[in-house]
Every structure is written in structure tokens, then in C-alpha cells.
Amino acid sequence: MQSELLLPPMSTFNFRCSALNHNTSYDQEMDFCGIDDCDFSCSFTSLEESSAISSSNSYVPTMFPDEFFNLENLVDDIQIYPTMDGLEIIPTEEIEDICEWINGNDAEGDEWSPCLSLESGQNSIVSPFMDEMSLELPVDDMQVDDQLTLLHLMRAYGEARNNGEKELAEVIVKSINEKTNPLGNTMERVAYNLFQSTENQGEYLRQESSKNFVAAFKALYQSIPNGRFAHFTANSAILESVPDDAAMIQIVDFDTGEGIQWPPLIEALSGKKKALRLTSVKSEEECTSSCWNFEDAKKRLLAHARQYGVKLQIEERSIEDFACELMRMKKRGQGREWLVFNCMVGLPHMGRRRSRSSVAQFVKVARELLANLKGILTFGDGEAGESLNTCCSYTSYFDNLLRHYQAIFESLEGNFPVYLAEARTAMESLFLAPFMSPTGWSTDWEEMTKSRDQAETRLEGRKLSQESLFEAKQIVNERENSYRVTIERLRENEMVLKWKETPLVRVSTWV
């Protein structure tokens, strides 16, 4: 097995932002999610060394040691077994076979169980639609016909939902389910993750895959750059914005999750005599909003801060409580504190869907406070939401999301080809399926149409640097794959990651 052909190489760790220093040693005893040898550390290679390994390099925060970014170790953890050639439709009784392939023997650390939603309404019932000309259809005429039929059914489903024809949509879903396959081509897999939990198959597959949650998380975060790109861009903007005389950086984080965004920033603050306070916003949504334990993430980050001599405070509070505290700060004077509002949503590794209404509330509070206090808002949207705001109907909104998720599935497929299909299936089931909810999409659309007039942030965009753009291009290794990073001329405060021509992640900064 040649791991360098499948996952980004160790040049991934060549994170060379001038504001961030990663040429340091790491404590190998740090614990991650109850697994003894997982920590925040990683190694870094030179550009010369990295170019000799393979393509698809990308930035990885110092979260895990080197051996956990070796593909053979990762897929062994997910218990890979040979694929079944010629597999067409997966009936309910055969789903157990896939779960056996994924899990095999009991994996280490099974006693750690993430919080997973088992509500089928949150994990299913949608279908993928793509521009026919953008599809890479197989040569076989029968397969071409099957995919075109699936495409037309998905289009019909979206139109039926748009027209309020619920019964027709249900009939179409039944037809689509006959053509989906969790181990099939891109369209079949997208359709499966959108629909099959209506038959409880997707739910069962996700439950079984969760036994390998940590290994699957690491493999996904490493194999596609969506999360790493968003974290790098936001962290770079934060560090560039901090005034020299600031003594305290106060970060209000919308969804801290496993905390993987913050180790590089902590390292960058080492020796700069700047304290850090991280406030994780407590969510009132269901358990799908966080599959990670806050206290565990807090413990890891505090240990990492001690290692680098950074004074760190971490707390979890509601956004309303924190807003009240900041209003008191406004009255007494901000002093030498620099305020950061950080909002990351829809990134694949997060594996949890947050409602657009909760995102809008967070941004509203940030906007109101930053109008009177010194600071910055960093916003990373893993569903490329700005383009969604321009949709004129639910059909176009639905189509944009389907195009977006097909691009993600396609990019993941490039790193996990056919003989690693079961590992890929576990990652898609655990981390992508939770975002693909027709109920959630419909709710978001309704909320967006009601609040469209208030969509503007009413803050001034902060221009992103050319240095960060150059380094982001290196992270996704533009020369070796289909990822592209751009800053549009009219939006110099926004950096966009694309797969071919499809936007995957938009990161914007505001002051």
C-alpha cells in the first residue's frame, strides 16, 4: 500500500506563516480523546523533503503525532477489508456486512462514545443534483443511463419540495433509494447519505462507524483541506489584526468542538507576552451540535498552553451572558484587550449541523459589540453560504447545496479510492451525512428568506493579506490537484476554497 498516493504527505505540516512558529518540539504524552498516544504534536518537513513525498499537501494543526497521519495506520484503525466487486444496490440485510468491514475486531478506545444524533429526520431525505455537463459519467451505457435516471429523479425531488408536493416527493425518494449505494460512485453515495436513513440503514451504518470515530476524524481532517484551510485563514487574520500593545486576546468561539483550531495560535503567542482567554459558546441545540466533550478539549488546550508558556483561560458560557459582560467592559473601558469573534460552521470534520438562526444570532451579537469595542470577526462557512444567499428559490438553493456536497464527496474519493471504500464510507456516514438533512435545509431556507434584508454584517471588511493567500495555496497544493484558493477583487476580505469551480469554504474577516 502506497500511502503517499492517497493522503496529503508530511509536507502538510509545512505551515510557514510568518506569524506562526511551528519549528518546535511537542509533548508526546498529551492525551487526545482517551487515546494515549494521540496529542497536539506533529513534525514538519522542508519544502524539498515534502515535494519528494507526493502531492496534495495541506496544513494540519499540531493535534496528533506523525504516525497518526500515516494512511496505513489510519485505515487499519478503521478496520479495512477488501471491497466487494460488482456491488450494485445494498438492501437492508446487507448493511451489516459493510459495518463488519468497517469495524472488524473491536477497536481500541471503544469505550469513548461520541454524542451522535439518531433522529432520522436530521440525517436524511435529500438528493443530489448536478449540472449534467459537470458529471463524470462512466463509459458503460447502462451505468450512464442509471446515473442520468438518478439525476433526473433528484431534480424532480427538489422541484417537488419547492412546489410543496410532499406526497410526490416521498414517491420520488422511494425510487431514488432503489438506485443508491454507500460504496458506489459519487452520485450514488451522495444520494445514499441524503436518503437512506429513512429506511434506518444510514442510522445503523453511522452507529457502527462511530466505534472508529477518532480514527475516522483524523483521516477526514487530513485527507481534505476544508477544515485546515478555514482554520489557517482565520488564525492568520487574527494574529495579523492584534495590536502590538494588546496584553490580552479574548476569543469568543461559536463552536469549539474538539479544539483543533487553536493549538497553532497558542504556539504563535509563545514568547509574545500576550495572554489568551477562550470562551466557548454553549449551545442550546440538540447533541448534533457537539460530539465532543468540552472539559476534555479544555484539558488538552490548557496542557498545550502550559507547554508553550502561554497564559490561557478557558470557559464555556452562553452568548447572552458573555454579551452582558462585554457591555460592562464597554462602560469601564476596554483597556488593552483585543476582542475576537470566531465562527466556523459547516466544515466537514465538525460532523454537526448548526442552524442558520443560531449562527445569525452569534453574528448579530458580534456586530453590535464590535461597533463599540476593538476587535475582529472571523467567519468560516463550510457550505459556502454567501452564494446560497443569492438563490431566488428553494430549488436553486437545493441545487447549490447538492452541487457543494457532490464536490466534497468527489474530492474525498480522490484520496480514498475503491479499495479503501469502507473507510471512506465510515467518514461520509459520520461526518458528511449529518449536514445533509432536507429538514434542516428547508428550515434554513425559510430563515434565510425571512432575514435576507438583515443579511449584511454592517461591519467593515478587513483585507486579507497576499502572504496568507500564498500560504493557503500551498496548504491545498494547487499545482497537484483540483483545489483552488482565490480572493476576489471586490471582496478582499474573503478567501474562497474551491474544488474545480465549486466553492467549498468561504472565510471572511470583519472589523
Side-chain angles (χ1 to χ4, degrees), residues 192-218:
Y192 180 88
N193 282 277
L194 288 166
F195 288 99
Q196 279 290 3
S197 58
T198 59
E199 303 293 333
N200 293 323
Q201 293 182 356
E203 177 182 313
Y204 177 66
L205 182 58
R206 189 170 182 232
Q207 284 180 309
E208 292 300 302
S209 299
S210 68
K211 296 176 182 178
N212 293 293
F213 186 88
V214 176
F217 170 84
K218 292 181 287 187

Side-chain angles (χ1 to χ4, degrees), residues 52-65:
I53 298 176
S54 93
S55 62
S56 302
N57 72 328
S58 47
Y59 150 70
V60 176
T62 53
M63 195 75 175
F64 315 107

Side-chain angles (χ1 to χ4, degrees), residues 87-96 98 180 196 201:
L87 187 60
E88 297 294 340
I89 299 171
I90 308 295
T92 303
E93 60 270 16
E94 293 183 16
I95 287 295
E96 294 184 5
I98 298 176
T180 62
Q196 279 290 3
Q201 293 182 356

Side-chain angles (χ1 to χ4, degrees), residues 164-176:
E165 299 172 315
K166 183 177 180 180
E167 293 183 359
L168 176 59
E170 292 175 353
V171 172
I172 295 172
V173 168
K174 292 180 180 179
S175 297
I176 292 175

Side-chain angles (χ1 to χ4, degrees), residues 257-369:
E258 71 296 318
I260 200 171
Q261 177 175 353
W262 302 119
L265 187 137
I266 289 173
E267 296 164 31
L269 295 176
S270 179
K272 295 186 179 297
K273 297 181 179 180
K274 296 183 186 298
L276 179 63
R277 179 183 176 188
L278 177 63
T279 299
S280 177
V281 175
K282 184 181 298 183
S283 172
E284 296 180 357
E285 298 178 56
E286 296 298 325
C287 66
T288 51
S289 64
S290 178
C291 296
W292 302 88
N293 182 281
F294 170 75
E295 292 301 325
D296 289 342
K298 176 180 178 180
K299 178 182 176 181
R300 293 192 300 272
L301 290 171
L302 286 172
H304 199 62
R306 285 194 296 270
Q307 180 181 352
Y308 285 89
V310 175
K311 184 178 179 181
L312 172 65
Q313 302 175 46
I314 304 180
E315 61 182 355
E316 184 179 38
R317 303 177 64 177
S318 69
I319 187 64
E320 293 83 5
D321 289 345
F322 190 75
C324 291
E325 178 182 329
L326 291 180
M327 292 306 296
R328 291 192 293 270
M329 175 196 295
K330 175 186 173 182
K331 293 179 180 180
R332 71 173 185 268
Q334 188 173 359
R336 297 172 61 194
E337 297 182 16
W338 183 250
L339 184 59
V340 176
F341 286 91
N342 182 76
C343 185
M344 298 286 139
V345 293
L347 299 173
H349 73 276
M350 300 175 83
R352 49 194 177 267
R353 184 172 188 83
R354 301 296 297 268
S355 68
R356 289 282 163 180
S357 60
S358 63
V359 175
Q361 180 189 16
F362 179 86
V363 172
K364 178 182 178 182
V365 172
R367 181 182 64 220
E368 293 173 349
L369 292 172

Side-chain angles (χ1 to χ4, degrees), residues 78-296:
I78 309 179
Q79 301 296 327
I80 302 306
Y81 289 85
T83 58
M84 180 180 291
D85 294 332
L87 187 60
E88 297 294 340
I89 299 171
I90 308 295
T92 303
E93 60 270 16
E94 293 183 16
I95 287 295
E96 294 184 5
D97 294 336
I98 298 176
C99 296
E100 290 177 2
W101 294 333
I102 293 172
N103 291 310
N105 299 324
D106 292 338
E108 294 182 6
D110 281 355
E111 66 276 5
W112 182 80
S113 176
C115 177
L116 299 174
S117 171
L118 302 179
E119 298 178 14
S120 60
Q122 294 183 351
N123 297 327
S124 60
I125 327 176
V126 169
S127 59
F129 160 75
M130 284 290 294
D131 184 348
E132 293 181 33
M133 298 302 293
S134 69
L135 298 174
E136 297 182 6
L137 299 177
V139 176
D140 183 85
D141 290 340
M142 184 175 294
Q143 292 185 30
V144 170
D145 291 341
D146 288 344
Q147 290 202 63
L148 285 176
T149 300
L150 184 58
L151 172 64
H152 292 312
L153 285 170
M154 296 177 203
R155 176 180 296 165
Y157 172 81
E159 292 176 352
R161 288 294 299 265
N162 183 64
N163 297 331
E165 299 172 315
K166 183 177 180 180
E167 293 183 359
L168 176 59
E170 292 175 353
V171 172
I172 295 172
V173 168
K174 292 180 180 179
S175 297
I176 292 175
N177 281 341
E178 295 176 356
K179 302 179 183 300
T180 62
N181 183 344
L183 296 174
N185 59 47
T186 305
M187 289 186 63
E188 291 170 340
R189 298 189 340 267
V190 172
Y192 180 88
N193 282 277
L194 288 166
F195 288 99
Q196 279 290 3
S197 58
T198 59
E199 303 293 333
N200 293 323
Q201 293 182 356
E203 177 182 313
Y204 177 66
L205 182 58
R206 189 170 182 232
Q207 284 180 309
E208 292 300 302
S209 299
S210 68
K211 296 176 182 178
N212 293 293
F213 186 88
V214 176
F217 170 84
K218 292 181 287 187
L220 180 71
Y221 192 81
Q222 169 72 342
S223 60
I224 58 177
N226 305 44
R228 299 189 305 274
F229 163 80
H231 293 165
F232 165 81
T233 306
N235 286 352
S236 296
I238 291 170
L239 291 169
E240 291 172 0
S241 72
V242 177
D244 292 337
D245 62 349
M248 165 77 77
I249 301 173
Q250 190 161 338
I251 299 176
V252 187
D253 196 10
F254 176 71
D255 192 345
T256 301
E258 71 296 318
I260 200 171
Q261 177 175 353
W262 302 119
L265 187 137
I266 289 173
E267 296 164 31
L269 295 176
S270 179
K272 295 186 179 297
K273 297 181 179 180
K274 296 183 186 298
L276 179 63
R277 179 183 176 188
L278 177 63
T279 299
S280 177
V281 175
K282 184 181 298 183
S283 172
E284 296 180 357
E285 298 178 56
E286 296 298 325
C287 66
T288 51
S289 64
S290 178
C291 296
W292 302 88
N293 182 281
F294 170 75
E295 292 301 325
D296 289 342

